[in-house]
Amino acid sequence: MKLIIIGAGPAGYSAAFTAAKAKWEVLLFTNKNLGGVCLNEGCIPTKSLLEDSFHLYKTQLLNNNFNPLSSSDSIYQHKSEIQFELQANLEKALISSKVQVIHSKAHFINNSEVMDEEGNIYSADKILICTGAKPSSFIQIDGSLTSYDVLEKPFTSLQSILIIGAGVIGVELASFLRMMSHEVTLIELAPRILSQVPKEAAQTLDRELKRMGIQVYTNTKIESYAKDDQYHIVFNQETHQYDQVIIATGRNANTDSLKLENTNIVTERGYIKVNSNFETNIPNIYAIGDVSGSVQLAHVASDQAEQLIHSLIKNTPIKEKIVPYVIYTPLQIAYAGLSEEKAKELNISYKVKKVLFNSIAKQKIKINTRAYLKCLINDDYKMIGCEIVSSDASELVSICLVIMENELDSRNIHDIVFAHPSLSEVLKDLSFEV
């Protein structure tokens, strides 16, 4: 079996590894560095900068004379070193797996063939599209920056920065830049930040961002702007001055270079339309990850890749899994499973078990602010949803996922010995009768 994969992000390289293990002949096209947006322009550089800037921020809290900006070049260098190492490891692993990596864009010339930038034509038994998504903008401001620009090059002097869009990307960038001592303003058209996140979690983070010194405006729209040596941005009938403007208003499918017009592939709202088995309307052409309009998360794309290849090899059904969502600010948000709103909509009986981190020493050591774990427990004492606001909520949510996916009885959690001090100790309180 021969497989062509276009795009070498988490979806593409996960599919390549899985297919190669089955002894398929795999051609993996990438027009940039291996790893896609996640490794090169998104998840990994963002989290590296957030982690390092958080240490600088805590140092400044302990020593007012310390200036985080003095370390800007160093943390960006560290970020690049991590990226280069992960890229090198990924390339070695692909070579070891006998995946043929072709460093070129690939576009369709018909429903069954693709062409690289040098004019070479390729065909295969199956073609998989994994080209991801790219930043989109509902507003155009001359000279404005995207998240890619911020992650590529540091501001080495104090800046007054406006971030337009308070979704996940916007709040993570705002946190990073504020921890580096910049003056940061975050504006959002919706009534609250993180409009897709559980309400209490979003409100808790809103308070934390403001406590850090970030100005947050919701229900706010840019009315007009002018630019000279600064930006003069009008909103709420007032003019505000900024040195930099960053637009973080969403993402669109990255299909421009595919030349889908040479095929009969159907798109919907710009995304490639697929069925429940990730197949397009053209037999043997598939699309997974962001480009197909699914949840735009690297771990979802990777899981889809593995499930798709396994289904093609073994005819196993595609399984709908519980997806964890995480916002990686210093006070992290993580959630999975059913929200209270969804449970009510589905008329599912549940009770809420909410535990505060007031007595959890590790939380106070990491970031001493309000934190909680909220779980939805059904009548059989099974956890059907969780919501966490704490430092390293991204790690805690995985424990909840194990509990939910395996439908464990929440009353038995008390029997587990949790390390002390650790954030996971908070789970021990979930064993109480609900």
Side-chain angles (χ1 to χ4, degrees):
M1 186 72 70
K2 184 176 181 180
L3 172 67
I4 286 175
I5 304 173
I6 306 175
Y13 66 70
S14 297
F17 284 129
T18 308
K21 285 180 183 177
K23 306 302 181 184
W24 286 18
E25 180 184 352
V26 182
L27 278 67
L28 179 64
F29 287 86
T30 178
N31 66 316
K32 295 183 179 179
N33 292 324
L34 291 167
V37 167
C38 181
L39 177 50
N40 297 286
E41 299 159 331
C43 322
I44 303 307
T46 303
K47 279 53 179 182
S48 175
L49 294 174
L50 278 165
E51 178 70 17
D52 288 349
S53 63
F54 180 56
H55 291 294
L56 299 176
Y57 176 66
K58 290 185 72 173
T59 301
Q60 186 183 44
L61 293 178
L62 297 171
N63 179 4
N64 290 333
N65 294 322
F66 177 75
N67 180 13
L69 278 176
S70 63
S71 300
S72 292
D73 289 336
S74 297
I75 68 169
Y76 272 78
Q77 178 61 33
H78 183 221
K79 179 263 302 181
S80 297
E81 290 170 357
I82 291 171
Q83 290 176 283
F84 292 150
E85 182 176 350
L86 291 173
Q87 288 162 1
N89 290 343
L90 179 56
E91 184 157 21
K92 288 177 183 177
L94 288 167
I95 292 172
S96 177
S97 299
K98 296 182 170 53
V99 173
Q100 183 181 350
V101 179
I102 302 173
H103 290 273
S104 170
K105 290 182 181 179
H107 68 266
F108 286 91
I109 55 176
N110 53 49
N111 283 338
S112 60
E113 296 176 307
V114 301
M115 177 184 291
D116 66 18
E117 292 175 297
E118 295 182 353
N120 300 307
I121 297 175
Y122 306 82
S123 62
D125 300 290
K126 300 184 185 298
I127 299 174
L128 176 57
I129 304 169
C130 310
T131 48
K134 60 184 179 180
S136 65
S137 176
F138 303 108
I139 183 171
Q140 300 294 326
I141 294 180
D142 293 340
S144 61
L145 305 175
T146 68
S147 59
Y148 292 176
D149 300 313
V150 179
L151 299 176
E152 182 64 26
K153 184 179 179 182
F155 299 121
T156 54
S157 60
L158 185 64
Q159 303 286 304
S160 175
I161 301 171
L162 173 67
I163 300 177
I164 302 173
V168 175
I169 294 173
V171 298
E172 290 186 354
L173 286 178
S175 298
F176 161 62
L177 293 168
R178 180 58 193 150
M179 288 190 292
M180 294 303 292
S181 295
H182 298 294
E183 297 175 4
V184 180
T185 299
L186 189 62
I187 68 171
E188 170 59 47
L189 187 61
R192 63 179 175 90
I193 68 169
L194 300 170
S195 59
Q196 303 302 313
V197 172
K199 187 174 182 179
E200 184 180 2
Q203 290 174 334
T204 302
L205 184 56
D206 183 284
R207 288 192 293 270
E208 179 63 14
L209 295 176
K210 291 172 180 174
R211 189 188 69 82
M212 292 173 64
I214 298 170
Q215 290 188 298
V216 180
Y217 296 89
T218 54
N219 277 320
T220 300
K221 181 180 180 180
I222 299 294
E223 297 164 16
S224 64
Y225 82 95
K227 185 178 185 300
D228 43 38
D229 57 333
Q230 281 190 312
Y231 291 91
H232 305 272
I233 310 291
V234 179
F235 57 86
N236 294 342
Q237 299 182 334
E238 294 182 350
T239 302
H240 308 260
Q241 280 76 40
Y242 302 99
D243 300 313
Q244 306 288 343
V245 174
I246 302 168
I247 298 179
T249 52
R251 301 177 66 77
N252 289 330
N254 188 19
T255 59
D256 294 347
S257 64
L258 292 174
K259 296 188 179 180
L260 295 180
E261 62 272 15
N262 294 336
T263 73
N264 299 111
I265 294 174
V266 173
T267 61
E268 188 172 69
R269 295 178 292 105
Y271 294 95
I272 295 175
K273 189 175 181 179
V274 297
N275 62 20
S276 58
N277 294 317
F278 309 119
E279 190 171 24
T280 70
N281 61 302
I282 306 301
N284 296 316
I285 298 182
Y286 302 81
I288 54 175
D290 297 1
V291 75
S292 66
S294 68
V295 177
Q296 295 190 357
L297 294 170
H299 46 279
V300 170
S302 295
D303 182 72
Q304 288 179 350
E306 293 175 3
Q307 288 208 66
L308 170 62
I309 301 302
H310 285 147
S311 73
L312 294 175
I313 296 170
K314 304 174 184 178
N315 199 31
T316 54
I318 302 297
K319 179 183 177 183
E320 186 174 348
K321 298 182 181 180
I322 302 172
V323 174
Y325 297 80
V326 183
I327 293 87
Y328 289 87
T329 50
L331 182 64
Q332 294 182 0
I333 293 174
Y335 58 99
L338 296 179
S339 64
E340 290 189 71
E341 294 78 10
K342 191 65 177 177
K344 289 175 182 176
E345 179 186 324
L346 297 173
N347 198 30
I348 294 175
S349 178
Y350 71 93
K351 290 186 179 179
V352 173
K353 181 67 176 177
K354 184 175 180 181
V355 188
L356 299 179
F357 281 72
N358 294 346
S359 61
I360 304 300
K362 189 64 177 290
Q363 173 67 26
K364 294 186 178 297
I365 292 168
K366 294 280 287 185
I367 175 170
N368 191 9
T369 189
R370 183 179 185 273
Y372 67 86
L373 165 65
K374 181 196 291 185
C375 293
L376 272 62
I377 310 295
N378 69 12
D379 295 339
D380 295 322
Y381 297 99
K382 305 296 191 298
M383 188 187 299
I384 58 174
C386 71
E387 176 184 323
I388 310 165
V389 178
S390 77
S391 64
D392 296 323
S394 54
E395 302 296 335
L396 280 179
V397 75
S398 296
I399 302 176
C400 294
L401 282 168
V402 172
I403 295 170
M404 288 190 283
E405 286 283 15
N406 291 282
E407 299 184 348
L408 303 180
D409 190 321
S410 62
R411 292 172 294 182
N412 296 330
I413 298 173
H414 186 79
D415 295 334
I416 298 172
V417 179
F418 293 98
H420 176 76
S422 69
L423 294 175
S424 60
E425 290 177 277
V426 75
L427 287 160
K428 207 169 183 70
D429 292 333
L430 289 177
S431 61
F432 300 156
E433 294 291 322
V434 295

